[in-house]
Amino acid sequence: MLDAGGESALTIRALTDRLSTGSGAIYYQVGTRDDLLDTATESVTGAALAARAAGAAASASRTAPASANRCAKGRELCSTSAPTVRCRS
């Protein structure tokens, strides 16, 4: 609803229509419209931060430390494809 119509589209009435429920159920679960907007903001912000953290973690896991690019002999790796790892001569 926020994506489609922005903040002004997120009302208790619109939410009750969308969820096919009564406004009493929304007021019981969420409270006021301001509470609804606060909850939506926390949800959107939390999801964005979680996605950012997941992206950073994935990026960090793709960037191996320099020591991981060396074989047991301390030579630079030329192939890390499974199932074997060969080092340069």
Side-chain angles (χ1 to χ4, degrees):
M1 293 176 67
L2 286 171
D3 288 340
E7 179 185 337
S8 62
L10 185 59
T11 63
I12 300 292
R13 179 171 291 175
L15 190 58
T16 58
D17 291 343
R18 176 81 178 256
L19 298 176
S20 300
T21 189
S23 61
I26 302 298
Y27 284 114
Y28 178 79
Q29 292 295 325
V30 178
T32 67
R33 180 173 184 271
D34 287 338
D35 294 334
L36 176 62
L37 290 172
D38 288 344
T39 302
T41 300
E42 289 172 9
S43 178
V44 169
T45 303
L49 291 174
R52 182 177 178 187
S59 177
S61 69
R62 287 190 303 262
T63 307
S67 61
N69 294 329
R70 305 250 176 227
C71 70
K73 297 177 185 176
R75 296 184 185 140
E76 187 177 341
L77 294 175
C78 62
S79 174
T80 58
S81 60
T84 61
V85 177
R86 297 174 296 174
C87 62
R88 292 185 182 174
S89 302

